[in-house]
Amino acid sequence: MHPREHVLIVGGGIAGLALAAALDPGRFRVTLVEERPERAGAGTVLALWRGAMADLDRLGMGERVRAASVPCDHGTIRDTSGQVLVRHRTPQLWFAPRPEIVAALESALPPGVTRFTREVTDPRALAAEVGADLVVGADGVRSVCRQSAFPGTAPVATDWIVLRGHLPGPRPEGPTEWWGPGGLFGITPGPRGAAWFCAVGTGRADGLQAPPLEEALALATGRFGDWDPLLQRVLAQVGGEADVQRILLAPPLRRSAADGLVLVGDAAHGMAPNLGRGANEAIRDAVTLARMLHRHGAKGAPRAFHRRRHATTQVLRAASSVALRTATTTRLARVRDHVLRAAPGQAPPTG
Ligand SMILES: Cc1cc2nc3c(=O)[nH]c(=O)nc-3n(C[C@H](O)[C@H](O)[C@H](O)COP(=O)(O)OP(=O)(O)OC[C@H]3O[C@@H](n4cnc5c(N)ncnc54)[C@H](O)[C@@H]3O)c2cc1C
């Protein structure tokens, strides 16, 4: 019988909760520290791909999340006027309400997990204080764990902001995105019928904060003012409920694990939202790290985890930025639209 090792998880978002849920309480004592637990139920909808759903199945949560989600295997991309550029098949994915994913993970936590509310400023000092054998930085794109283990890795501010919210009304069968210079608009199935989001290039990467909602809405209304009139109607119904964020990226990392510390989720690879992969990779990281911990213990797991996850997630991080630029760069627009319209096997553009 091994003595139980102690894992300190900093951050109780999707990555931190999934790891705490995946660790065998017979093998590991777990302390989970979250600075703002009231944010747990926030957010609209996330696209989950097959791999992450299989990991949720491994945690016993797949059926619950599937039951609250809208499955989908196709999407539509339109140009600024609303003309269809392409209708494309996607691998099977599910549009899952973020609050439901979080609630499912919360319900899977073993009763022995110690939780407290605190802003962690020095992860190694806290590990010494609680007697942890391993610190897991699951503290998002602004990660204090990343910056303390790998100096010079402050989050990278982009000149893009994202607004998102719910859209009551009929549930669309699949996601639609409108692509054009300096902007991207999306409508997906959502818990209240539909959910909308838009990314707006502001031309200024001034600081890590997003502008206040009113200012962000004015920017979006200006940007999408001469696009498909449907988008103006969506923005007009927003009220005070939308969420605004600046798109922040994790810097490229050579390593996401050091002695006694591992980064998972956005802390390791915070990316532009364009591929819809951030939360998926957070779940995959958590389940893989748990497996490595069960196999190698707290000492061997960081290196084994790095070998399995680091390269893939760094590539996705870079590819997401390319996807954002491809959708929204004026110079690429003509070539891109031509290629999309000519894509084989697609339904004809109907508008
Ligand atoms: C507009 C938009 C759309 C998206 N769509 C998708 C999608 O369709 N599919 C998808 O897979 N992903 C999507 N994502 C990305 C996804 O939301 C994130 O990748 C995912 O939520 C990251 O989870 P995380 O647990 O790593 O980080 P976070 O959710 O950021 O959680 C980190 C937690 O750590 C806590 N914390 C931070 N610092 C400290 C500290 N010092 N002390 C204590 N606690 C701390 C925070 O309060 C937070 O709860 C989207 C993102 C955006 C912005």
Side-chain angles (χ1 to χ4, degrees):
M1 177 88 178
H2 294 287
R4 282 201 314 166
E5 291 184 296
H6 187 170
V7 177
L8 167 64
I9 304 173
V10 180
I14 288 176
L17 289 172
L19 177 61
L23 285 172
D24 173 1
R27 295 279 311 277
F28 293 96
R29 207 180 129 200
V30 175
T31 300
L32 176 62
V33 188
E34 164 59 47
E35 66 174 330
R36 295 195 309 164
E38 72 283 358
R39 290 270 304 154
T44 53
V45 70
L46 297 172
L48 290 183
W49 302 75
R50 203 191 301 247
M53 201 52 108
D55 279 342
L56 290 176
D57 282 331
R58 284 181 193 104
L59 297 178
M61 291 298 115
E63 275 316 307
R64 175 171 171 177
V65 172
R66 259 187 219 96
S69 307
V70 182
C72 175
D73 62 3
H74 65 277
T76 305
I77 298 172
R78 294 175 183 267
D79 68 12
T80 55
S81 70
Q83 273 276 28
V84 174
L85 288 169
V86 68
R87 291 190 208 281
H88 57 102
R89 295 195 74 79
T90 63
Q92 179 72 59
L93 49 84
W94 288 263
F95 285 90
R98 183 181 180 280
E100 184 56 29
I101 302 173
V102 169
L105 293 171
E106 288 269 358
S107 74
L109 293 190
V113 172
T114 305
R115 305 181 71 168
F116 51 95
T117 302
R118 185 198 284 192
E119 180 190 357
V120 177
T121 51
D122 184 342
R124 299 237 191 231
L126 181 60
E129 185 186 321
V130 301
D133 301 290
L134 178 71
V135 179
V136 179
D139 49 347
V141 68
R142 295 165 192 250
S143 176
V144 163
C145 293
R146 182 184 69 237
Q147 294 181 68
S148 74
F150 307 106
T153 58
V156 178
T158 69
D159 60 352
W160 284 86
I161 57 169
V162 189
L163 295 87
R164 52 183 167 169
H166 298 283
L167 185 59
R171 173 164 289 157
E173 270 180 28
T176 299
E177 290 189 357
W178 287 254
W179 288 6
L184 184 155
F185 207 104
I187 296 179
T188 68
R192 295 188 203 162
W196 65 275
F197 63 90
C198 66
V200 184
T202 63
R204 296 193 316 266
D206 44 358
L208 300 181
Q209 302 306 327
L213 175 59
E214 217 171 286
E215 194 183 316
L217 258 181
L219 277 168
T221 307
R223 178 58 39 82
F224 299 108
D226 58 356
W227 290 32
D228 187 338
L230 170 65
L231 311 186
Q232 284 294 327
R233 291 201 293 279
V234 172
L235 289 173
Q237 61 80 51
V238 167
E241 244 206 85
D243 171 64
V244 190
Q245 289 176 43
R246 182 172 295 279
I247 298 185
L248 302 178
L249 310 176
L253 293 182
R254 246 184 272 146
R255 290 184 304 148
S256 46
D259 205 21
L261 185 142
V262 189
L263 302 174
V264 291
D266 278 10
H269 42 70
M271 59 185 82
N274 296 67
L275 296 180
R277 295 301 292 239
N280 285 263
E281 300 311 314
I283 293 167
R284 308 230 67 186
D285 280 355
V287 170
T288 306
L289 179 57
R291 211 171 58 241
M292 295 303 104
L293 278 162
H294 293 141
R295 197 177 293 169
H296 302 286
K299 196 152 177 54
R303 186 187 279 244
F305 172 78
H306 174 89
R307 275 204 303 275
R308 278 174 176 74
R309 294 292 299 157
H310 185 74
T312 306
T313 49
Q314 290 294 308
V315 167
L316 283 169
R317 191 194 60 78
S320 296
S321 292
V322 173
L324 173 61
R325 280 200 294 277
T326 306
T328 56
T329 303
T330 317
R331 258 183 309 131
L332 291 176
R334 212 173 281 171
V335 179
R336 181 201 65 217
D337 293 359
H338 180 75
V339 170
L340 286 176
R341 282 200 170 96
Q346 311 297 343
T350 54

